[in-house]
Amino acid sequence: MNIRRWSAGVLAATLFIPALAACNSKTDEPAAGGSPAAAVPADPKEALLASTKELEQGNFTFTLAADGVTGKGLIHKPSNSAQITMTMSDGAESSMGLELIYIEPDSWVKLDLGELGDMIPGAAATKDKYQHLDQSKIKDSEMLSLNMADVDPGDSANLLKTITDVQKTGEGTYSGKLDVSTVTNSDALDQDLVKALGDQAKALPFTAKLDAQGRLTELVMSVPAVGETKAHEIKVTYADYGSAAAAQKPSADKVVEAPAQTYEMFK
């Protein structure tokens, strides 16, 4: 699921323009579980590249905050399940949200369109309900489909491969620069934003935190103001390595079959 494209799709469907909303995280604490502790490479770049290896196991929780969208969720590859909750806000009273639950081979989406939902014909029938999705109708949708083979919602491994400068600033903390000018199809970093940044994208400041086992717990990119986009941070955090819970199927009384307009909205 591409978080940035999801937000764009909902905006296009509802003619709603959001701004950044705050996101709280508790991942400053060391994450538990996962693989046995390994020696953290002394070289800062090697330490950061190695820090994303555990993500490949697909067993963790996460939060993400970017320009116009915040989210949290869990990835649980052992059960082939995932749960993602996203929220968008204009910084005032208007907001929209989405919750997506995937338990192979099924998935459900719950939409909160706020006040705009009252203006969309038929939306009342699915309000506060989980819409069961026909997989054949969303297989080409980047906004409603989940790929358990690509389990990192923050795309941190690919982003950290672009490190051009890095130094260790403390126990488990790092800072440096990323050259994201050639990054494409990133869930966390919008391609239009990369283009707008121009040469600034070749030296994007970042900070990172690792737990005691050398696993990534936080990646923050500082995006400068460009055009109509204000300066902001893109932040992704990870926790509960190896001990995330499996996603839970919504109760039957809360489920309806997704109507045609849902598929149309997310095309």
Side-chain angles (χ1 to χ4, degrees), residues 6-7 11 16-22 66-70 86-97 112 230:
W6 171 78
S7 63
L11 300 182
F16 177 69
I17 301 177
L20 185 64
D67 185 23
V69 59
T70 62
M86 307 302 298
T87 302
M88 295 187 298
S89 172
D90 66 355
E93 297 180 355
S94 299
S95 65
M96 296 189 299
D112 178 4
K230 65 181 180 180

Side-chain angles (χ1 to χ4, degrees), residues 45 49 156-163 178:
K45 183 174 182 178
L49 292 178
S156 295
N158 287 331
L159 290 170
L160 289 174
K161 288 177 182 177
T162 72
I163 290 174
L178 302 174

Side-chain angles (χ1 to χ4, degrees), residues 216-255:
L216 185 67
T217 59
E218 178 182 288
L219 176 63
V220 180
M221 292 172 287
S222 299
V223 181
V226 57
E228 297 181 358
T229 301
K230 65 181 180 180
H232 65 279
E233 292 183 341
I234 297 174
K235 178 179 179 180
V236 58
T237 70
Y238 304 94
D240 302 314
Y241 283 107
S243 60
Q248 298 298 306
K249 182 178 180 179
S251 59
D253 63 320
K254 295 289 186 180
V255 174

